[in-house]
Amino acid sequence: MTIAARTAALQALPLDQLRRRTSTKWRTYPEDVLPLFVAETDFPLADAITERLHAAVELGDTGYTPPDPGLRDAFVAFSQRRFGWSVQPARVRSTCDVMMGVVEILRAVLTPGDRVIVAPPVYPPFFDCVEEAGGVVERVPLLDVDGSWILDLEGIERALAAGARAILLCNPHNPTGTVHSRAVLARLAELAAAHGAVVVSDEIHAPLVQPGVPYTPFLAASPLAEEVGYTVTSASKAYNLAGLKCAVMVTASEQTAEVVRGLPPEVEWRTGLFGAMAAVAAWDPASDAWLDALLVALDENRRLLGRLLAEHIPEARYRLPDAGYLAWVDLGDLGWGDDPAGRILREARVALNRGPTFGAEGAGHVRINLGCAPEVLTEAVLRIAALVRR
């Protein structure tokens, strides 16, 4: 029996309650705009998280983060339970957020000016964090093969042979929702090892892989992946905790663990105490039922979007994402230019992520946040459809 068959979908909070929030999603645009852009979700927190944070506030437990707030053991247990991935607690170190972890690891392994491979269309901060770390972005776009997005392994091999020193991987991939196969990840590790390069894998969307879709953490892909890889991840995307600031950096070999241990103490010191508390509660078995219910809600919404687009905006091209709550939609056939999100915001009052910010490959595309009520998603599509019909 699948999770979807035995679990009711998590229900999003009503709009009037959501508009009382003060986060980016709800304070960037006026109230007449439906915000389906930034990666925040509209669901209530898991009970275990709410209870832990309430208890901390009542105690005035708002000081500095201790050396061991329980993150290591919680992440190890969660990874084993949800992914079948065995992680050594001593090889888990915390930091403020995933992009900080990525920057600091790249800074430690690169010489200024080294090239770092990214696979656009990809999460826009990837471009910035490579530069922040002193690297130069080397674009090797995803390939569109038989209706699926895949890593261009031949292109990556050419870039490595030409001197690229690192690969910044998104696993699962944002914005396409692609889950890379174990075979592809193992081959990526082979290529990196053959050319003396490293792989830094952002796996923040891993808890949001849909049931039935095989998921492999990069470090679990092969023995070579253990040697060349670093994983940075967080509970923040799945459990809507971005403002609390906590992520973990994970290694699987003594050599890579030594690199992470050698990072400045401030990298770990910046971990938020509330973020650590919330992550421990999120990764606890008590929150598993909440996560299962979230996956059901996201599955229903990703399929609903497909039906809505087929009925109301047939010019749109959309592929069901295997993970996450972010939909990558090609609106190029509407003739609205490279950045259709701009017109949609101005005239339909729906805020979507702008495709070109994900790289040149995002021209004509938008990214839509599915982490909302079905009624909100439906209203957003209907507003855009009305714009199409003008």
Side-chain angles (χ1 to χ4, degrees):
M1 182 183 293
T2 65
I3 287 176
R6 67 175 185 266
T7 305
L10 192 63
Q11 299 298 304
L13 296 169
L15 272 176
D16 60 346
Q17 184 173 344
L18 290 166
R19 292 196 184 281
R20 291 162 50 198
R21 291 181 173 179
T22 61
S23 60
T24 291
K25 184 172 186 179
W26 299 101
R27 287 295 181 267
T28 300
Y29 299 106
E31 287 198 2
D32 66 326
V33 173
L34 289 179
L36 276 68
F37 66 115
V38 70
E40 300 179 25
T41 57
D42 297 351
F43 303 99
L45 293 177
D47 287 345
I49 296 173
T50 301
E51 291 166 5
R52 183 67 186 89
L53 295 178
H54 277 173
V57 171
E58 289 175 355
L59 284 171
D61 190 5
T62 54
Y64 293 111
T65 307
D68 182 12
L71 284 168
R72 298 180 184 91
D73 289 343
F75 180 76
V76 167
F78 179 84
S79 297
Q80 184 65 59
R81 191 171 69 251
R82 301 294 296 200
F83 309 138
W85 176 26
S86 297
V87 177
Q88 294 185 31
R91 290 179 174 163
V92 179
R93 187 178 181 190
S94 70
T95 188
C96 179
D97 56 39
V98 166
M99 285 299 101
M100 175 177 282
V102 167
V103 167
E104 295 301 333
I105 291 170
L106 286 177
R107 205 193 306 272
V109 300
L110 296 178
T111 298
D114 281 349
R115 297 198 303 281
V116 179
I117 297 167
V118 300
V122 73
Y123 183 49
F126 271 31
F127 304 110
D128 297 331
C129 75
V130 169
E131 295 179 0
E132 184 181 347
V136 176
V137 172
E138 177 90 5
R139 291 170 169 81
V140 182
L142 294 177
L143 296 176
D144 184 353
V145 178
D146 298 328
S148 298
W149 298 104
I150 63 171
L151 291 172
D152 181 0
L153 293 174
E154 292 183 1
I156 290 171
E157 184 173 20
R158 288 193 297 270
L160 290 169
R165 307 306 301 156
I167 303 159
L168 181 50
L169 177 69
C170 202
N171 177 43
H173 197 87
N174 173 9
T176 63
T178 302
V179 176
H180 306 297
S181 71
R182 180 183 294 272
V184 165
L185 295 176
R187 178 58 180 155
L188 189 68
E190 290 176 3
L191 295 175
H195 293 280
V198 302
V199 178
V200 181
S201 185
D202 170 358
E203 302 192 354
I204 198 168
H205 297 275
L208 298 173
V209 175
Q210 282 293 326
V213 177
Y215 170 69
T216 304
F218 179 75
L219 295 178
S222 70
L224 275 179
E226 295 182 349
E227 297 297 321
V228 302
Y230 302 82
T231 287
V232 191
T233 189
S234 172
S236 63
K237 283 291 182 289
Y239 299 90
N240 204 40
L241 305 173
L244 301 186
K245 294 302 179 184
C246 177
V248 292
M249 302 170 289
V250 187
T251 53
S253 75
E254 183 53 35
Q255 180 178 349
T256 53
E258 184 62 28
V259 171
V260 173
R261 283 196 296 267
L263 296 177
E266 191 67 20
V267 174
E268 188 165 29
W269 186 245
R270 290 172 181 164
T271 306
L273 178 58
F274 273 23
M277 293 176 183
V280 170
W283 290 330
D284 190 274
S287 295
D288 281 358
W290 182 95
L291 180 57
D292 292 343
L294 173 66
L295 289 169
V296 174
L298 299 182
D299 181 40
E300 292 178 356
N301 274 0
R302 66 179 183 150
R303 297 179 188 279
L304 172 63
L305 179 61
R307 296 193 299 271
L308 289 168
L309 292 174
E311 180 179 356
H312 299 287
I313 314 176
E315 300 89 346
R317 285 175 284 180
Y318 163 67
R319 298 171 191 173
L320 209 64
D322 288 327
Y325 50 80
L326 305 170
W328 189 236
V329 181
D330 184 354
L331 299 179
D333 287 349
L334 292 177
W336 291 352
D338 289 347
D339 187 14
R343 182 176 181 184
I344 290 169
L345 176 59
R346 289 190 307 272
E347 302 183 34
R349 308 307 284 164
V350 177
L352 308 175
N353 275 112
R354 298 168 50 215
T357 65
F358 295 81
E361 297 74 15
H365 289 70
V366 295
R367 194 187 74 174
I368 303 176
N369 184 336
L370 303 173
C372 59
E375 297 78 13
V376 171
L377 182 60
T378 300
E379 172 65 18
V381 174
L382 292 178
R383 289 189 188 187
I384 299 169
L387 183 58
V388 174
R389 293 192 298 268
R390 285 185 190 173

